[in-house]
Amino acid sequence: MARTGYTLPVFAAAAAKAAFLHLQNPLETLSEVSLDLLPERAKIPVQQVANIDDNSALAITISDPGDNLDLTRNTPIWAYVKCQARESEPLILAAGEGLGKTAAGEAAIYQYARRLFDANLLPLIPENKTVTVSIILPEGRQLAQRTSNEAFGILAGLSLLGTSGISQPLSTEEHLAELREKLQIVVQKHQDLVFCIGSHGMNIAQQLGIPESAIAQTGNWIGPLLVEAGLRGANSVLLLGYQGKLIKLAGGIFNTSSHLADAKLEIISAAVVKSGGNLAAVAAVLGAKTADAANKILAEQGLESPVFSALAEAICEKAQGYVHKYGNVALKIGTVLFNRQGKIIAQSAIAPELIAQILPKIK
């Protein structure tokens, strides 16, 4: 049975609450704090807590996402809490070292995280006091280099992002079994399917007029679910995906989790060569920090369309070979690639045909 854990905002809020409680009662030893996760409750272990002076304290928790493949596993989260005379508001949240900031300089602390802090700290703050919480992630700046945070405008660290306090182990074999069951239900209604990969996938599917009932969730398990679709009698699958995720298939990588394999820049570079790009373009792509940065470079050089069109065709070819190898069935596969902003940048030759096969079913 896969073990659930908690998301990063939970450990940040727990550290803040532990520091504040210790500031109020320095003689009490805190090994854990009770936290309202909205709506669940949880007891979160506290690694260390100490007063800095009469008005400030520091507490440390350790991230535990359960059996999820999460790069923040075992990451220390520090909360520096300072209490002073009431200013304009009772609770102020600030970004310390390792917690990212937006381009406007605001702390990358989003709605659910702020609700957590409000629910767990506001009831404890006296009416004449203001509490300032600075979240510090000592490893945040380094870990952020392994994410696409910069593409989202989050600079110099990680963000406190999420919609739930529970971290479900979505990358386990149990999740694959769940996705297979859902796919089997979709196939019963539609022989022409759409796999949406990336946060903008559903929006683009709606723009294209694709019915939600034809869309199957994949998580990172694109390869096994393509085989499942073929074995269950699907006629075709349209891969509608964020290029930084979906292009892995062009390199023969069919589980797209970055924890297992990541060769995006190398895959794009190979496509640059096949599309007639020069060595300077290849070097620029290999020197990019992210697939989004590589995409921008190619767009500036007029190579975006040929390179990503070639990648779209390569994805189809590799995916069809994968399905034939492991399922011994034929499956039509088309590809539509979009960028981080949700703009379609390329599609395979067969993609319009597959879209047309889906659309009449909702007329």
Side-chain angles (χ1 to χ4, degrees):
M1 185 71 178
R3 183 176 65 90
T4 59
Y6 301 102
T7 56
L8 202 60
V10 170
F11 295 99
K17 183 174 181 178
F20 182 79
L21 291 175
H22 191 69
L23 187 60
Q24 301 304 303
N25 187 1
L27 298 179
E28 182 181 0
T29 301
L30 286 172
S31 60
E32 64 179 18
V33 293
S34 177
L35 213 65
D36 181 358
L37 302 187
L38 305 169
E40 302 92 346
R41 295 199 67 86
K43 292 187 181 297
I44 306 300
V46 177
Q47 188 79 3
Q48 291 179 316
V49 60
N51 280 9
I52 304 301
D53 54 37
D54 291 342
N55 299 310
S56 62
L58 178 73
I60 301 173
T61 57
I62 303 294
S63 173
D64 178 9
D67 287 340
N68 236 336
L69 290 175
D70 192 311
L71 59 81
T72 68
R73 179 182 305 281
N74 297 326
T75 298
I77 299 99
W78 299 8
Y80 173 71
V81 171
K82 185 174 183 179
C83 191
Q84 55 198 24
R86 174 61 63 90
E87 297 179 351
S88 58
E89 51 190 310
L91 179 61
I92 299 171
L93 302 180
E97 169 61 29
L99 181 66
K101 293 183 179 180
T102 66
E106 298 176 350
I109 303 174
Y110 294 94
Q111 184 177 4
Y112 174 71
R114 291 184 180 275
R115 289 175 56 216
L116 273 183
F117 283 103
D118 287 350
N120 289 282
L121 288 178
L122 284 179
L124 305 177
I125 300 174
E127 291 184 1
N128 63 338
K129 298 292 184 181
T130 286
V131 170
T132 300
V133 177
S134 297
I135 299 300
I136 302 166
L137 305 174
E139 300 173 359
R141 193 180 291 259
Q142 177 183 358
L143 290 174
Q145 296 176 2
R146 296 164 56 188
T147 73
S148 298
N149 276 8
E150 286 191 8
F152 285 106
I154 300 168
L155 309 175
L158 298 174
S159 62
L160 297 185
L161 181 66
T163 58
S164 170
I166 306 296
S167 176
Q168 298 288 351
L170 298 180
S171 298
T172 65
E173 285 75 6
E174 286 183 340
H175 184 227
L176 175 57
E178 178 186 341
L179 291 173
R180 276 179 169 154
E181 291 178 4
K182 291 181 178 179
L183 175 61
Q184 291 164 17
I185 295 172
V186 176
V187 166
Q188 290 175 9
K189 298 179 180 179
H190 297 273
Q191 286 189 313
D192 299 300
L193 311 178
V194 177
F195 287 2
C196 287
I197 298 97
S199 58
H200 290 291
M202 290 296 293
N203 292 334
I204 294 176
Q206 291 175 358
Q207 292 171 20
L208 294 173
I210 292 170
E212 189 173 345
S213 59
I215 297 172
Q217 298 178 17
T218 65
N220 289 313
W221 302 95
I222 300 175
L225 291 171
L226 282 171
V227 174
E228 185 73 18
L231 292 174
R232 296 291 172 176
N235 173 63
S236 70
V237 173
L238 178 70
L239 298 171
L240 183 61
Y242 163 55
Q243 61 90 3
K245 197 82 164 173
L246 197 50
I247 60 172
K248 292 184 179 182
L249 275 64
I253 300 169
F254 284 88
N255 184 318
T256 57
S257 170
S258 59
H259 297 270
L260 300 180
D262 190 358
K264 295 189 292 288
L265 297 178
E266 291 79 3
I267 292 168
I268 295 174
S269 298
V272 170
V273 174
K274 290 182 179 179
S275 302
N278 57 30
L279 290 179
V282 172
V285 167
L286 290 174
K289 290 184 178 181
T290 65
D292 294 290
N295 178 205
K296 184 177 180 181
I297 290 169
L298 294 175
E300 291 171 349
Q301 297 186 9
L303 290 169
E304 180 186 50
S305 179
V307 168
F308 285 95
S309 293
L311 284 168
E313 296 297 345
I315 290 167
C316 297
E317 181 181 344
K318 290 281 188 179
Q320 287 170 333
Y322 186 95
V323 173
H324 186 268
K325 178 179 179 179
Y326 292 104
N328 196 29
V329 293
L331 182 67
K332 292 180 183 179
I333 297 173
T335 300
V336 175
L337 296 173
F338 55 82
N339 62 17
R340 181 66 78 182
Q341 289 70 44
K343 176 186 175 183
I344 294 176
I345 57 175
Q347 61 181 349
S348 63
I350 199 176
E353 175 188 330
L354 300 189
I355 294 172
Q357 291 175 355
I358 298 171
L359 298 185
K361 296 183 169 114
I362 62 170
K363 291 181 180 179

